[in-house]
Amino acid sequence: MSNVTSLSDSRPSVTASRVAMTASGVAIFALLLTPLVALGRSFDGAASLLTIGGQVLNAGGDSGAALPSTGTTLALAWATVLLLAATMFGAWRRQNWFWITGALAFVASFLAVLLLNRALGQAAADVANNASLRAGAKRALRNFYEGGGMNLGLFVPIVSGLVAAGAGLSSRQVWWDRFNRMRGLLVPVSAIALAVLVGAVIVLLVQPPVNTSGQPFGLWQGWLAHTDLVYFVYSTLFAPITRLNPLLDSLKLATPLIFTGLAVAFSFRAGLFNIGGPGQLTMGAIAAMLVGVYGPESWGWGLAVAAVVAAGLGGALWGAIPGFLKARFGSSEVINTIMLNYIASGIFVFLLGSNTFPFFGKQYNMPFKAPGDQAQSLELHSGARLPTILQVLNVGTPEQMKLSLGWIFAAAAFLLAHFFLKVKNKTLISMGLAVLVGFLTWRVGVPANVAGSQLNVSFLIALACAALFSVLMWRTATGYGLRAVGLSPKAAEYGGISVAKNTILAMTLSGMLAGLAGTHYVQGGALDEYRLKQSIPVNVGFDGIAVALMGQNTPIGVVASSVLFGTLDTGGVDADLKLDAVNRDIVTVLKALVVLFIAAGGFLSRRMVNPPPPQLVQAVNATGKAENAELPAKAETSPTHSPQPNVARASEENTREGGKS
């Protein structure tokens, strides 16, 4: 795929035009044939749906509620239809201006959503000020209006408008270069889209449309109710990102996934498959418990640092063992890590399963298990516990919480400096500026009413590990050696890189990352207690495989994938409460579908995911013969993205070479 079809044609490419036409057509279909907005929705999902023609379908909801004014929303929706039609025409003729109409369609539909939310908010305020209503009726009506908002009829045009605008802008080289750098997103985005489509079919098969009105649906009403059901399920699953308390819960669930996802991704980059996340997490949690419970209290907060280091060392040890066995004897790291998972589980049971153990006919006391029937340790010393994020960000008082905005200002300073500075070492300069801005603005806060959350400093440690992963893997000679071994062990060995040494190093660091996940549960109190418990969910070590695959083995991709999975898990609880047949299993199905479609490459062609350099395409187009095409040296050494290692091939070659050593 290229953004040019000939050297003299500066119009949008045929592919870009087709993308814009398809996106605009789908958006027009959604505007005309699906619910535009929900004017209100009850807890069980019954809604009052508005179509672009002005008709209202009341599937139950609150039949006595006064519906807000929607004249401006409808006018903007029709304007969006006209703009999308113009975009389709411009894309069909491959005109340079159709990106403008696509962008305007996005603006019009987004503005319609804002005005609708304003009208719903005003309706809820009017209910609160209505003295003639009982408290229970006020609460029900207010919740009804707050449950309303955009539906498929406005959501699809918002997305399609952006897609059409981007397709049109791709004819400009500067924008094409920017889009080309994001080509690695094609596979995960396609996989998510396909998983959503298949998941929608599953939802429609297992859950009938919500209808509490007592009136049967006709064909048209049934279609609207079915499409609304799909949107309601997915809006519920992704709702946590729009509210602070559920967002904190999502990040809490995402924290161990970041650690284990980074662990798997790190080993993948070195051509290894670390499937021992559960065992490494267990050993990290045990090490953190031993230091946190039996370490000297006089160390104060230093005890927390020591427990974090111990967790990393525990996981590193459990990763180094299969790394050494592979490097020295050529044994499969997959089998070894699986077996070590069972050994780690056995050690856990040995330590916390009983207060005594028999040995050669004698009973010996075990000091690790807390009194009682539950398999759990004693509580950690207060100095070994990690504070919550709310405690770190609170610049107010315990009675009146104020969340600091300094980190937002610091992040903005880093991004602006990194974008505008054109000097050497701009990353370090930007980081220094960010630290200074964050320090100066840390006391600037905003009042917040937030319930208690166990999202703790382990989340910040996970983000720091992601940053260190990126620096080590792509900014150091050590990272170059690890990636070289992952891409081609034989070529790396020929170039003077020790395959055995890098195999051990990769598995050790991978195990360390997985072991640090134990700090979230033991030191962070994510299981509601600051102790090692039998209920620690070690299976997140296996979930890290899915996270790494979806994140394309990149640190930022792993973080984004973890947050997505955490959001789905949190939203799945709400979906389970609101609908009869849809429960948290739909989240498991979606995750499995995402992994399946990522393994299939999103069903995208190799030419689209990893195309030849554009200079080569231009040369071939100009000469008509591939053998006459030559690339500049800079183009030959500047790949569009970091290549992914072939884990199966690299692992097999490492095994053969290890067996010969």
Side-chain angles (χ1 to χ4, degrees):
M1 181 179 67
S2 175
N3 62 317
V4 291
T5 55
S6 69
L7 294 177
S8 59
D9 193 351
S10 62
R11 296 182 299 169
S13 67
V14 174
T15 301
S17 299
R18 289 174 178 171
V19 168
M21 289 179 63
T22 303
S24 300
V26 171
I28 292 175
F29 174 87
L31 278 164
L32 298 178
L33 298 178
T34 65
L36 194 67
V37 297
L39 298 176
R41 191 185 297 275
S42 58
F43 179 81
D44 59 3
S48 294
L49 305 175
L50 175 71
T51 66
I52 196 170
Q55 298 88 9
V56 176
L57 170 64
N58 195 326
D62 193 324
S63 57
L67 300 180
S69 174
T70 57
T72 307
T73 300
L74 290 174
L76 288 171
W78 281 110
T80 303
V81 172
L82 296 177
L83 289 168
L84 290 170
T87 303
M88 286 190 69
F89 175 78
W92 175 56
R93 299 294 302 271
R94 292 179 57 201
Q95 299 296 313
N96 286 323
W97 50 261
F98 74 75
W99 73 268
I100 299 176
T101 54
L104 290 176
F106 161 78
V107 172
S109 52
F110 188 74
L111 184 59
V113 173
L114 293 180
L115 293 177
L116 171 70
N117 290 338
R118 180 179 178 182
L120 292 172
Q122 183 60 48
D126 293 341
V127 169
N129 296 328
N130 192 338
S132 63
L133 293 175
R134 294 179 292 105
K138 282 185 178 181
R139 189 182 309 110
L141 279 176
R142 187 168 60 250
N143 292 337
F144 173 74
Y145 289 124
E146 291 176 352
M150 69 175 173
N151 212 289
L152 279 177
L154 285 179
F155 174 76
V156 176
I158 289 176
V159 176
S160 298
L162 286 176
V163 171
L169 287 172
S170 66
S171 62
R172 293 163 171 78
Q173 190 62 42
V174 61
W175 282 98
W176 172 256
D177 293 338
R178 292 174 180 173
F179 294 148
N180 202 41
R181 286 194 293 269
M182 297 187 293
R183 192 179 292 273
L185 297 175
L186 285 175
V187 171
V189 169
S190 299
I192 293 173
L194 291 171
V196 167
L197 290 176
V198 177
V201 175
I202 296 174
V203 168
L204 292 176
L205 290 176
V206 301
Q207 174 70 51
V210 181
N211 181 15
T212 59
S213 65
Q215 300 295 324
F217 286 148
L219 185 61
W220 171 243
Q221 291 82 6
W223 163 257
L224 293 177
H226 279 87
T227 54
D228 172 66
L229 172 65
V230 172
Y231 183 79
F232 175 63
V233 169
Y234 282 113
S235 62
T236 302
L237 290 178
F238 289 96
I241 63 176
T242 63
R243 292 173 292 167
L244 184 56
N245 277 331
L247 177 61
L248 294 176
D249 292 337
S250 300
L251 295 179
K252 185 182 89 168
L253 295 176
T255 299
L257 292 176
I258 296 175
F259 283 118
T260 56
L262 289 174
V264 176
F266 197 94
S267 63
F268 273 160
R269 284 291 175 181
L272 302 167
F273 193 177
N274 179 11
I275 202 171
Q280 293 151 13
L281 188 157
T282 300
M283 296 305 297
I286 290 174
M289 179 273 293
L290 292 175
V291 173
V293 173
Y294 303 102
E297 292 187 72
S298 59
W299 286 8
W301 60 267
L303 189 60
V305 176
V308 171
V309 173
L313 292 177
L317 172 64
W318 228 240
I321 294 173
F324 171 77
L325 293 176
K326 184 177 186 65
R328 181 64 181 86
F329 303 105
S331 57
S332 171
E333 78 278 8
V334 175
I335 297 175
N336 289 332
T337 50
I338 291 176
M339 294 299 101
L340 284 171
N341 287 339
Y342 290 103
I343 296 176
S345 178
I347 294 174
F348 177 89
V349 173
F350 174 74
L351 292 177
L352 301 180
S354 176
N355 295 110
T356 62
F357 75 97
F359 188 72
F360 287 104
K362 293 185 178 181
Q363 292 286 338
Y364 294 89
N365 293 325
M366 294 283 290
F368 306 108
K369 181 179 179 297
D373 297 331
Q374 297 186 17
Q376 59 184 15
S377 71
L378 299 171
E379 282 200 331
L380 272 67
H381 296 316
S382 58
R385 302 175 183 180
L386 296 177
T388 65
I389 295 296
L390 293 180
Q391 292 172 335
V392 173
L393 295 182
N394 184 22
V395 294
T397 62
E399 296 76 18
Q400 178 58 53
M401 179 176 293
K402 292 177 63 177
L403 297 182
S404 173
L405 298 178
W407 64 277
I408 298 179
F409 295 130
F414 175 83
L415 293 175
L416 291 174
H418 197 271
F419 182 79
F420 287 106
L421 287 179
K422 305 297 182 184
V423 297
K424 188 178 180 180
N425 296 326
K426 67 175 182 179
T427 300
L428 292 177
I429 296 175
S430 300
M431 291 178 62
L433 179 62
V435 171
L436 177 61
V437 171
F439 176 78
L440 295 177
T441 60
W442 186 254
R443 301 300 303 178
V444 179
V446 58
N449 183 18
V450 186
S453 170
Q454 284 305 122
L455 177 65
N456 53 79
V457 170
S458 183
F459 174 70
L460 302 181
I461 298 175
L463 297 182
C465 287
L468 292 175
F469 181 158
S470 179
V471 172
L472 174 64
M473 192 63 72
W474 283 280
R475 293 291 185 271
T476 65
T478 301
Y480 176 82
L482 291 169
R483 287 185 289 119
V485 170
L487 291 171
S488 178
K490 289 183 177 179
E493 189 77 31
Y494 183 77
I497 298 174
S498 173
V499 174
K501 176 183 175 182
N502 281 280
T503 297
I504 298 174
L505 177 63
M507 290 300 296
T508 301
L509 295 179
S510 176
M512 181 197 71
L513 291 169
L516 287 172
T519 62
H520 176 65
Y521 297 111
V522 178
Q523 294 180 258
L527 299 179
D528 299 325
E529 291 184 272
Y530 294 94
R531 63 173 85 217
L532 178 60
K533 302 177 67 174
Q534 184 182 20
S535 57
I536 182 171
V538 296
N539 280 338
V540 297
F542 293 127
D543 293 338
I545 300 173
V547 168
L549 289 174
M550 184 174 174
Q552 298 290 280
N553 299 322
T554 62
I556 189 171
V558 167
V559 173
S561 302
S562 301
V563 173
L564 174 62
F565 281 12
T567 300
L568 290 175
D569 287 333
T570 305
V573 176
D574 288 340
D576 192 5
L577 293 174
K578 294 179 179 180
L579 295 171
D580 296 331
V582 173
N583 52 37
R584 282 176 285 184
D585 290 339
I586 189 65
V587 176
T588 304
V589 171
L590 286 175
K591 291 179 180 178
L593 289 172
V594 168
V595 175
L596 175 65
F597 291 133
I598 284 182
F603 295 106
L604 299 174
S605 67
R606 183 179 180 87
R607 183 175 177 83
M608 180 179 293
V609 176
N610 191 20
Q615 296 92 335
L616 180 60
V617 176
Q618 292 182 18
V620 172
N621 289 336
T623 63
K625 296 181 180 180
E627 58 269 19
N628 293 336
E630 294 183 359
L631 280 179
K634 182 179 179 181
E636 292 178 346
T637 58
S638 302
T640 57
H641 62 277
S642 178
Q644 298 285 336
N646 187 326
V647 177
R649 183 198 66 199
S651 181
E652 181 182 357
E653 292 182 4
N654 283 345
T655 300
R656 288 200 302 264
E657 293 176 5
K660 296 176 182 178
S661 61

